[in-house]
Amino acid sequence: MNIVAPSVYTPGQTYSIQVHAATTDSTRRAWGFELTTLTPQNTVAGTFTNTTAFTAKRTGSGRNYIEQNESGSFQGQSGGATWTFDWTAPATSVGTVTFYVAGLHCDNDGSDDGDQTYTRTAAVPVAPPVV
């Protein structure tokens, strides 16, 4: 799993984010991910916007998430998958925002036996003030 996020964020700005899953294992034939962004205090950091037909937003336990939807599991596809969506940074500086993603490389047999889970994080500091 790989997260393509900005190197720094400016409060209130919107950024295009990508999550990539890739493998040479030809038995992997379906894909999934779930991503959230948190402040150093483990509170919500920003919001998500679906920009394709392959993601869905949800909330739970006081957090915002974005994940693949049914179309975004790319059933039968080998090699990997990429999801793109927008993230709008918090309106004010909250310090370094951490992106947390969990991804699935599935064998597409309808069960979770044999599926592989991967995790990754990306830390994105607030941009320095313009002087």
Side-chain angles (χ1 to χ4, degrees), residues 38 42-44 58-65:
L38 301 175
N42 285 325
T43 59
V44 171
R58 71 175 192 84
T59 58
S61 302
R63 294 184 177 170
N64 297 327
Y65 298 91

Side-chain angles (χ1 to χ4, degrees), residues 20-31 76-82 105:
H20 298 285
T23 184
T24 58
D25 180 349
S26 63
T27 67
R28 305 296 98 192
R29 308 283 296 169
W31 311 92
Q77 177 174 301
S78 62
T82 298
H105 294 192

Side-chain angles (χ1 to χ4, degrees), residues 64-88:
N64 297 327
Y65 298 91
I66 192 157
E67 59 194 12
Q68 93 292 334
N69 59 20
E70 187 173 343
S71 301
S73 66
F74 304 107
Q75 292 182 15
Q77 177 174 301
S78 62
T82 298
W83 301 272
T84 303
F85 51 90
D86 282 351
W87 171 69
T88 300

